[in-house]
Amino acid sequence: MNRHEVIIIGGGVTGCSIAYHLAERGMRDVAVLERAYLTSGATGRCGAGFRHQWGTKTNCLLAKYAIARLEHLAEELDYPEGIEIKQEGYLLLAYTPKMEEQFKKNLALQKSLGIDARWVTPREAREIVPFLNTEGLLGATFCPKDGHANPFKVTDAYARAARRLGVKIHTYTEVRDIKIEGSLKTVITNRGTFQAPVVVNAAGGHAAEIGRMVGVDLPIVPERHQILVTEPVEQVLGPMVMSFYHNLYCQQTPHGSFIMGLGDPNEPKEYNVRSSWQFLTQMARKAVWLLPVLKNVRVVRQWAGVYDMSPDRQPVLGEVPGVPGFYVAAGFSGHGFMIAPMTGQLMAEVILGLPTTLPVDMFSLSRFTTGELFVEPSVV
Amino acid sequence: MEDKTIICRCEDVTLEEIRKAIAEGARTLDEIKRLKRCGMGPCQGRTCRPLIAGEIARMTGQNPAELALPTFRPPVVPLKLGTLARGGVPDEQA
């Protein structure tokens, strides 16, 4: 029997960030349980971008605070090899008057929160991305402080910092069941039993399964998203280019490879991480149309991962009403990586009963019963 | 082999770096791939995979036959986006 103060289920960037932030605030008797290797779920399969350009106040603030942390994360966590950060912006493309209207609304909101994003004409967009096909483009929004970081390195940096503070990380340890007796939770895994008064569900696409183990119905469903990476080439693309019209994003990493992905609105809600040839050809068609210079770049690998989708595309953060000591940090709906520094900090504050740096009440699970949803409009 | 021997030729990863990752706790090919990028290049691990597996086995006392392999992902060989965009028709025939 392994007895701890806190057990975190899920060794993605969220779980590792929560562990680090707890330990950093003095709660060092923490165990992280991960079913495979660290980053094996959504973290290691994501598009590796971060942006300020959101459509709700909470997301803008979470992103702003989180990105400020990412900018200095290697120093904060004493991670000398760095997290491969690049800040050359996100260019969000608008093709319909409705999109333009929404983007301009988003810009006003972002400006009110001190975020430096602006409207650019198709011509200005071509100054930022010289080979961009601007056919049909009405304009775009651009925030120069958006960018890229390596999810493997960010997670490794949090995991190492957490371990140095005494956190135990158990990989290849899959949670099979959870029993609650009084305030004590017993977590049964394929590698022994763990006990703690506090359990945090940071299981991403598996969060609903973990919830069911304690009789909690979490409205979080896995949804497959596919992605590919090319061979590395000379740096030619500064920003992440994102089009909600085409449901795609494409960026060049500091390593030189291009990472690009597509969302499919007809994707079934199920756990599926297989990749398809249909994605490969569709992605290639759209990418070559939008960024013709990519036609001679070779794809080396494609893969898939799942978004942990919630009904309003916002995470569930906090203690589950009726199950004291059982917390959730899941439902990130495709933007968990970029806000992980703040998710970790806020969850640690909530668990330790400290005042929170940003408001978190709106992320409560109870919003799905009271109907107080706040839908994020800007998601691929 | 020497420490400076290149194990992953696509991403220039040396034996020394692989050994360091294993010494720091990596036990599987999947973990080393994600931290060091070996196996992510144009050859997709065809060269480095068995070499790293051997090194993990040697340093951790595991049976190399029992080491889990990372997922083999498509495409089998690097393909130009332009070729894929034309439905698989290569340049010379377009």
Side-chain angles (χ1 to χ4, degrees):
Chain A
M1 187 76 69
N2 303 274
R3 183 63 203 268
H4 296 282
E5 286 298 320
V6 180
I7 292 170
I8 298 169
I9 302 172
V13 69
T14 298
C16 292
S17 174
I18 296 170
Y20 164 74
H21 283 95
L22 281 168
E24 206 248 334
R25 281 160 183 72
M27 170 54 73
R28 297 182 175 200
D29 187 7
V30 176
V32 177
L33 308 180
E34 162 54 47
R35 64 192 283 269
Y37 50 90
L38 298 182
T39 73
S40 56
T43 299
R45 298 164 187 272
C46 80
F50 57 78
R51 59 170 154 133
H52 294 82
Q53 300 185 72
W54 292 98
T56 60
K57 183 180 170 186
T58 46
N59 275 342
C60 288
L61 284 175
L62 272 177
K64 185 181 169 184
Y65 278 67
I67 293 164
R69 298 284 290 283
L70 285 173
E71 287 171 0
H72 305 287
L73 198 72
E75 297 82 45
E76 180 189 340
L77 301 178
D78 190 17
Y79 194 71
E81 64 184 283
I83 61 164
E84 295 173 22
I85 196 162
K86 164 180 171 180
Q87 283 179 289
E88 295 190 38
Y90 263 45
L91 190 66
L92 304 188
L93 307 175
Y95 287 92
T96 66
K98 201 180 152 202
M99 241 174 222
E100 180 174 341
E101 191 191 320
Q102 177 69 51
F103 280 16
K104 288 187 170 165
K105 223 189 278 177
N106 293 356
L107 281 178
L109 171 71
Q110 289 153 12
K111 196 174 175 195
S112 76
L113 301 169
I115 292 168
D116 172 29
R118 62 177 194 270
W119 179 257
V120 295
T121 63
R123 198 172 147 177
E124 289 164 332
R126 275 187 80 108
E127 283 164 21
I128 299 167
V129 179
F131 43 83
L132 180 73
N133 176 4
T134 52
E135 188 186 328
L137 185 68
L138 299 180
T141 61
F142 183 69
C143 174
K145 297 277 238 171
D146 296 346
H148 164 278
N150 182 326
F152 302 117
K153 305 281 184 187
V154 172
T155 309
D156 189 44
Y158 275 123
R160 282 172 191 250
R163 278 198 196 103
R164 285 197 299 270
L165 294 170
V167 171
K168 301 279 183 294
I169 298 180
H170 301 265
T171 53
Y172 299 95
T173 304
E174 185 172 30
V175 173
R176 298 277 164 82
D177 202 5
I178 303 172
K179 306 251 182 273
I180 301 182
E181 281 170 74
S183 66
L184 195 64
K185 283 114 196 131
T186 303
V187 180
I188 299 147
T189 77
N190 62 329
R191 295 199 177 190
T193 301
F194 297 78
Q195 281 188 325
V198 172
V199 168
V200 184
N201 176 0
H206 296 283
E209 281 168 65
I210 299 293
R212 278 195 289 277
M213 293 176 187
V214 295
V216 172
D217 186 22
L218 296 174
I220 296 173
V221 291
E223 180 185 286
R224 178 178 70 164
H225 283 250
Q226 300 197 61
I227 183 163
L228 65 78
V229 66
T230 71
E231 61 190 332
V233 295
E234 197 181 317
Q235 294 290 335
V236 289
L237 178 62
M240 169 85 91
V241 177
M242 193 172 239
S243 166
F244 298 117
Y245 183 82
H246 300 96
N247 242 322
L248 73 75
Y249 59 85
C250 174
Q251 71 167 332
Q252 189 175 21
T253 68
H255 167 254
S257 50
F258 289 85
I259 291 182
M260 56 191 86
L262 278 182
D264 178 353
N266 300 316
E267 187 64 40
K269 302 283 183 282
E270 58 183 21
Y271 196 90
N272 176 8
V273 292
R274 286 167 302 181
S275 46
S276 74
W277 62 266
Q278 290 93 338
F279 160 76
L280 195 57
T281 49
Q282 272 176 30
M283 182 77 245
R285 269 189 208 117
K286 289 185 178 183
V288 169
W289 180 85
L290 189 63
L291 302 163
V293 73
L294 293 182
K295 70 178 193 296
N296 288 320
V297 181
R298 289 173 181 83
V299 180
V300 295
R301 184 170 67 258
Q302 67 173 124
W303 68 95
V306 295
Y307 283 13
D308 43 340
M309 295 299 293
S310 78
D312 55 5
R313 306 170 180 174
Q314 303 278 16
V316 176
L317 302 177
E319 196 170 23
V320 172
V323 193
F326 186 78
Y327 294 79
V328 179
F332 292 98
S333 308
H335 51 280
F337 168 60
M338 66 180 82
I339 61 171
M342 283 315 290
T343 304
Q345 180 169 333
L346 294 170
M347 287 299 296
E349 288 166 350
V350 168
I351 291 165
L352 299 174
L354 303 168
T356 57
T357 308
L358 288 171
V360 290
D361 290 346
M362 72 285 273
F363 292 110
S364 167
L365 179 62
S366 63
R367 73 182 185 271
F368 302 111
T369 37
T370 60
E372 290 167 86
L373 304 186
F374 55 123
V375 177
E376 170 54 57
S378 304
V379 176
V380 166
Chain B
M1 285 189 288
E2 289 176 29
D3 272 1
K4 293 291 176 196
T5 305
I6 303 279
I7 297 293
C8 168
R9 299 188 298 207
C10 300
E11 298 289 343
D12 280 352
V13 185
T14 63
L15 182 60
E16 187 179 23
E17 290 172 79
I18 303 288
R19 285 180 174 158
K20 185 162 178 275
I22 300 168
E24 287 174 355
R27 288 291 174 273
T28 60
L29 287 154
D30 268 317
E31 290 165 295
I32 294 174
K33 171 181 171 183
R34 282 158 185 82
L35 290 172
K36 296 291 153 202
R37 211 175 240 126
C38 40
M40 288 185 172
C43 94
Q44 288 293 291
R46 282 178 181 78
T47 307
C48 65
R49 203 186 290 243
L51 298 171
I52 298 168
E55 203 55 30
I56 294 173
R58 197 185 63 74
M59 285 180 69
T60 65
Q62 298 179 76
N63 178 353
E66 285 169 13
L67 283 179
L69 293 176
T71 308
F72 289 84
R73 300 188 193 278
V76 173
V77 292
L79 290 172
K80 284 184 183 176
L81 279 163
T83 303
L84 290 163
R86 285 192 303 271
V89 182
D91 280 345
E92 51 273 22
Q93 292 165 32

